[in-house]
Amino acid sequence: MTPPQSGGAGHFESTYIRVVNALPIGFIGLVCLFAIGSGVGGSIFGVSMALVCTFFTVRGLRMGVSYSPEGVTVRGFVRTRRWPWDGIREFSVATKPVGAMAYRRKVLLVTLRSGQVVPLREQNASPKDGASPSWVEVAAAQLNRELGQRV
């Protein structure tokens, strides 16, 4: 988590989730580079797969929730979502199933002014209750404070 900056901007992230998403894909990209020396077809395949893996590795490393005076930006593994402050009602956290195995995780939720609740499943943390709050709980609290100052 990056503390708020003087311009009213900040960033929240899970290093664990970023590494778990980016590391295997980066490794696959490196393995694909070995196909480059095996003829024209292997070279085309190796370079194209290495480029695709590089793209997704960078996306995985950039995952997180950022806020600025303009609004909130959520970078997921595949897509980036942006909402202006006046389009958001509140931020919250709920335990929801995540991924193909439906593991129960604390997920950051965005409730829009329209009433639509958007679960940000890629922005999640362990559901265990500990002495300190999870990063998504800290993010929700800080984002709600920022929302109260801006709207």
Side-chain angles (χ1 to χ4, degrees):
M1 175 177 71
T2 303
Q5 299 168 357
S6 60
H11 182 77
F12 301 96
E13 63 192 26
S14 168
T15 303
Y16 170 76
I17 296 219
R18 290 172 53 210
V19 170
V20 164
N21 280 317
L23 195 60
I25 293 174
F27 178 73
I28 291 169
L30 288 175
V31 169
C32 288
L33 289 176
F34 288 112
I36 290 177
S38 59
V40 175
S43 295
I44 292 171
F45 173 78
V47 168
S48 61
M49 286 303 295
L51 289 173
V52 168
C53 289
T54 299
F55 171 79
F56 283 112
T57 299
V58 170
R59 288 292 303 181
L61 291 173
R62 294 184 69 199
M63 287 177 60
V65 180
S66 301
Y67 64 91
S68 68
E70 290 79 38
V72 177
T73 301
V74 178
R75 291 190 192 281
F77 190 59
V78 176
R79 100 190 231 197
T80 298
R81 301 179 192 180
R82 291 181 177 87
W83 292 284
W85 289 110
D86 60 0
I88 300 169
R89 183 180 301 158
E90 73 171 339
F91 297 90
S92 58
V93 175
T95 302
K96 295 195 168 284
V98 173
M101 299 299 291
Y103 291 115
R104 308 283 298 161
R105 305 278 294 170
K106 288 182 182 176
V107 174
L108 183 62
L109 304 174
V110 179
T111 303
L112 304 177
R113 292 266 177 221
S114 66
Q116 177 187 7
V117 178
V118 181
L120 304 172
R121 294 195 191 310
E122 291 177 330
Q123 312 303 326
N124 64 70
S126 171
K128 297 176 185 169
D129 290 324
S132 60
S134 67
W135 81 270
V136 290
E137 292 167 320
V138 171
Q142 178 64 34
L143 290 167
N144 280 325
R145 279 192 294 276
E146 292 291 328
L147 181 63
Q149 294 174 1
R150 299 177 195 280
V151 177

